[in-house]
Every structure is written in structure tokens, then in C-alpha cells.
């Protein structure tokens, strides 16, 4: 085989790497993948569509030699040290102007460091977030590239070809400087955590009220045909129908309630505090996954705090509507907090993240795709520099239309003893955000009382301290 015949190279041929390469090949690009596992190389080639140009190799140098210049190489390997190890192995094989892409879930601070490191070696580096799971990778993911804009132009035709399409528009766009791509993906995952938590709470309330799995399927299926239409609501409806091949029970009832995580939601929560930006629904989702791990303690506490009156009530159309409205309300607040975080990070970290493009990219292919993103797209079309989507009039009208039912549903959950921390925190954030005056004046007084931390007044500019208790 002659040299320089492949358009794109992939390091790491797990499910995501393999499917992205096959997607590229289906769109007319010649692709080559590297993996030390020969079985994965064979699986790549055997899965290729007849007539496409796909090759797997077990030697990294061989792959690099076969790539067209400037070489375009993506890594899909575990975040952290493995990414640095691959970069170090690539540097001796690459030339000035070549492009390295990290397509995994790296923390953006690592991406910032790698951009600088490779810039000094005159090699382009990009961090690209990819959402959609294995099916999305194969048929059309949402792609969030950031970093070197000159490098983006080298890969843009390929990324636009393989991305999901909404109304003919590819769900990919250049999303900002330096670590912006991975930052946007991190916040995407934080929003994903939040929405999944909100859906699980909605499920818990409806199950408490006595709905069967079949009824739950029908409710979520109906919701997915309306204003709650989204990927996560759609798959939730499907989950309730799945039978367990071990017991013939519904599988959802046989799955442990200890939830795992890979850390990206925690990163969102941690980095929001550094800015700072308040994202309590995301914070709560992370905390509830942690709390789910306290299984033995929860079982003990359930016995200690058992209380009569926590039984289920008859399901009603009114309750189902209240759950629908509360889930819609909470979902809007989850997006609002994540997008507000991106707005602030774009400025404070000088990444120039274009929010109109972010919500457009999220409309198709990704895990958090939702009909709500069309509403947000309209909001950002009117005001590209909108600091919080709750300030948009169209969004405000939607929120106000479901506010009353949200309050009723949260009161029901509290009285019934059904944990609904995500829904509750979304309402608390909303009430605080729309408060002209919060009670934090008292906190300022307390801080000055015990620590002389000073305070500001509402009537006179400046900073003040009082010798408390000396009147």
C-alpha cells in the first residue's frame, strides 16, 4: 500500500473509536486506526461497509506514515496520564503543522496544559467533546470542538460530514479557544447528571403513587411526544418495558439503586465553585449519586425513621400532570444553570464560547438533546450575550406556566417522604434568582460580628465594620 493515503487516524479502537472511524468511512473518507489489541483492529476492518477504505494496524508509526499531511490524529483513550503518554509517543512521529485531537472526556485544565505544550512544538492540539454514545458515534454524534481554530479548519469538513443533522445543519461548530471544547462537554455532562436525577425523582413520585411499569412507560412515552420530548425521556419510556432475562421481572426493578459515575458531573460542580456560578441542581445530582452509595446505612435509617402515613396514594391525572410540569420546570433550570456557567467561564477563562452555537450543537445527536433547545436557540438568537436564559421572555412564560404545579408537586413529595432533592433545589434556585432581596444581609452581619469581615450598606457606598453588642 502506498504512503499517505488515509485522511484520518484514530488511536484507541474501543466502541467509540471504531464507530467514529466507520462513520467517517461511510462519508467517503479513508480512515486508519491503531490499537495494540489485534482483535480490535480486525473488528474495525470486518465492520466496515463494503467499498469504504478502512484499515487497522498494531504499530503507531505505521499509522502515522500512512496519513496524508497535515496528519490528523484523534485519541480516544482514558483521561489523565494515558493521554499524556500517547502524546509523548506521537511527538517524535509528527511534523510541524500536524493535528492531535483528544476526543475523550479530559478535564479542561489538562487540555489547556497540552495546548500550550504542543504549541511550543508547533503541533496543533484540540480538545473535542463527543456526545451520543456508541450509536451516536456510528450514525451521527453531537461534536464540541475547541482549541486551535486553524486546526479546526483542517478537520471541519470531516466533522460536519459525520455529525448529527438538524434541519440539514450539522451539530458541530467551533466552540472556542484553548480548552473550550472539553469545558463545554464537561458542562454538558453536568446538565446530563441533573436531568437524569430529575427524571429519577419523577419516576419515584409516580411509582410511590402506584403506577405500574406499563403505566410508567405510557406516561413517559406520551411526555416524549410533547414539550418534554428528549432523548433521556425517550429511553426512560423504553426502560420500563424491558424484561429481565434472569427472573422475568421488569429489569428496572432488579437493578441496584447504587448509581455509578465517571467524575465529569463532579468536575462541573467543582469548577462552578471556582468561577463562582451557582449550579445547585447539578450539585444535588452529584450528591444524590454519592448518597445512593450509602446503601447499608440507608437500610438502617429506613427502619429507624419508618413512619406511618408514607404510603402511596391513588394515582391521578392531576398528579401525573404536576409531575410533568415539575420535570419540565426542573429541566429548564438545569439547562439555565449550565449555560450560565458557560457564559461566565467564557469570559473569566478567555475561551470565547459562543452560546448560540452551543445550544445549536446540542439539538441533535447528544444525550441531552431536547425540544427545549429550540426555545433556547430562539433566546440566544435574540440576545447572543444573554447571561441566563431565565431572563428571556419566552423562557419566562414557559417557566411561569408550570410554576404552580411544580410547587404543588414538591409539597406532595415532601409530605409523602419521597426524596426529590433535584426538583426542590431547582425551585429554591428559581426563588432566590428572582428575589430582589435575599436574607444574606443577615449572613453579612454575622460574619462581621464574629470575624470583623466587614459589610456594605444599602444607603452609603463603602465598606463598614461595627463593634457589635456595644450599644
Amino acid at each position: 500500500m502506498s504512503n499517505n493515503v488515509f485522511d484520518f487516524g484514530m488511536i484507541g479502537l474501543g466502541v467509540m473509536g471504531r464507530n467514529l472511524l466507520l462513520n467517517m468511512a461511510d462519508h467517503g473518507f479513508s480512515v486508519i486506526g491503531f490499537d495494540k489489541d489485534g482483535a480490535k483492529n480486525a473488528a474495525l476492518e470486518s465492520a466496515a461497509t463494503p467499498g469504504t477504505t478502512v484499515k487497522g494496524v498494531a504499530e503507531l508509526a505505521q499509522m502515522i506514515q500512512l496519513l496524508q499531511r497535515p496528519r490528523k490524529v484523534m485519541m480516544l483513550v482514558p483521561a489523565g496520564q494515558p493521554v499524556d503518554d500517547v502524546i509523548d509517543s506521537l511527538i517524535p512521529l509528527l511534523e510541524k503543522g500536524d493535528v492531535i485531537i483528544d476526543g475523550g472526556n479530559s478535564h479542561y485544565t489538562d487540555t489547556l496544559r497540552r495546548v500550550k505544550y504542543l504549541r511550543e512544538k508547533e503541533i496543533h492540539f484540540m480538545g473535542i467533546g463527543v456526545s451520543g454514545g456508541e450509536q451516536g458515534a456510528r450514525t451521527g454524534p453531537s461534536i464540541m470542538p475547541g482549541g486551535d481554530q486553524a486546526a479546526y479548519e483542517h478537520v471541519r469538513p470531516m466533522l460536519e460530514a459525520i455529525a448529527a443533522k438538524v434541519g440539514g445543519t450539522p451539530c458541530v461548530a467551533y466552540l472556542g479557544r484553548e480548552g473550550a471544547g472539553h469545558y463545554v462537554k464537561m458542562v454538558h455532562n453536568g446538565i446530563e447528571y441533573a436531568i437524569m436525577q430529575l427524571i429519577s425523582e419523577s419516576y419515584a413520585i409516580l411509582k410511590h403513587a402506584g403506577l405500574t411499569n406499563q403505566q410508567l412507560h405510557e406516561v413517559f412515552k406520551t411526555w416524549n411526544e410533547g414539550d418534554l420530548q428528549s432523548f433521556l425521556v425517550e429511553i426512560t419510556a423504553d426502560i420500563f418495558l424491558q424484561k429481565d432475562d434472569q427472573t422475568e421481572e421488569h429489569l428496572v426493578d432488579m437493578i441496584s439503586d447504587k448509581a455509578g459515575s465517571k467524575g465529569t458531573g463532579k468536575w462541573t460542580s467543582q469548577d462552578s465553585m471556582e468561577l463562582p456560578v451557582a449550579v445547585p441542581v447539578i450539585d444535588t445530582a452529584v450528591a444524590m449519586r454519592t448518597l445512593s452509595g450509602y446503601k447499608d446505612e440507608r437500610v438502617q435509617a429506613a427502619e429507624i425513621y419508618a413512619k406511618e402515613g408514607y404510603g402511596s396514594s391513588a394515582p391521578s391525572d392531576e398528579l401525573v400532570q404536576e409531575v410533568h410540569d415539575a420535570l419540565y420546570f426542573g429541566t429548564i433550570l438545569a439547562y439555565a444553570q449550565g449555560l450560565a456557567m458557560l457564559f461566565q467561564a467564557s469570559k473569566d477563562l478567555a475561551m470565547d464560547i459562543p452560546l448560540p452555537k452551543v445550544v445549536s450543537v446540542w439539538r441533535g445527536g447528544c444525550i441531552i438533546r431536547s425540544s427545549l433547545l429550540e426555545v433556547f436557540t430562539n433566546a440566544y438568537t435574540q440576545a447572543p450575550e444573554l447571561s441566563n436564559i431565565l431572563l428571556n421572555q419566552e423562557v419566562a412564560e414557559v417557566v411561569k406556566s408550570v410554576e404552580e404545579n411544580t410547587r404543588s408537586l414538591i409539597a406532595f413529595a415532601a409530605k409523602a417522604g419521597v426524596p426529590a432533592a433535584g426538583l426542590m433545589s431547582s425551585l429554591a434556585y428559581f426563588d432566590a434568582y428572582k428575589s430582589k432581596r435575599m436574607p444574606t444581609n443577615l449572613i453579612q452581619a454575622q460574619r462581621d460580628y464574629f470575624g470583623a469581615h466587614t459589610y456594605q450598606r444599602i444607603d452609603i457606598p463603602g465598606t463598614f465594620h461595627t463593634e457589635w453588642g456595644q450599644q
Side-chain angles (χ1 to χ4, degrees), residues 160-197:
E160 289 182 347
I162 68 170
K165 309 294 189 299
V166 173
T169 301
C171 291
V172 59
Y174 178 71
L175 296 184
R177 303 174 58 251
E178 308 295 347
H182 279 146
Y183 200 97
V184 171
K185 181 55 162 53
M186 177 186 74
V187 173
H188 163 287
N189 287 11
I191 295 171
E192 178 185 310
Y193 268 60
I195 296 174
M196 291 171 73
Q197 177 64 30

Side-chain angles (χ1 to χ4, degrees), residues 23-98:
N23 188 351
M24 293 176 186
D26 285 349
H27 285 87
F29 298 97
S30 57
V31 297
I32 184 169
F34 159 76
D35 202 292
K36 292 179 180 178
D37 186 343
K40 291 182 178 179
N41 293 321
L44 170 69
E45 294 184 0
S46 65
T49 303
T52 59
T53 304
V54 177
K55 183 176 178 60
V57 297
E59 294 292 334
L60 184 59
Q62 181 184 5
M63 183 183 80
I64 300 303
Q65 290 169 2
L66 291 172
L67 287 171
Q68 294 183 21
R69 291 176 171 80
R71 293 139 169 156
K72 297 170 282 291
V73 182
M74 177 182 279
M75 302 174 288
L76 272 171
V77 298
Q81 189 60 44
V83 176
D84 290 317
D85 292 343
V86 172
I87 290 173
D88 287 341
S89 67
L90 279 171
I91 289 173
L93 304 174
L94 297 179
E95 299 173 353
K96 175 182 176 180
D98 287 343

Side-chain angles (χ1 to χ4, degrees), residues 242-294:
Q242 185 72 38
K243 288 294 186 73
D244 177 25
D245 59 7
Q246 303 294 319
T247 65
E248 293 304 311
E249 300 291 332
H250 282 92
L251 181 56
V252 69
D253 296 327
M254 304 306 297
I255 295 175
S256 167
D257 63 344
K258 293 194 292 185
S261 63
K262 292 187 175 179
T264 49
K266 179 179 70 175
W267 289 346
T268 311
S269 185
Q270 290 172 331
D271 285 304
S272 73
M273 295 179 188
E274 292 294 329
L275 285 172
V277 171
V279 294
V281 183
I282 297 172
D283 295 339
T284 298
V286 175
M288 294 304 285
R289 289 204 195 184
T290 301
L291 188 55
S292 77
Y294 302 168

Side-chain angles (χ1 to χ4, degrees), residues 208 305-313 414-418:
H208 173 87
Y305 295 100
K307 180 179 177 181
E308 292 184 7
Y310 278 17
S312 63
S313 60
K415 290 179 179 179
V418 179

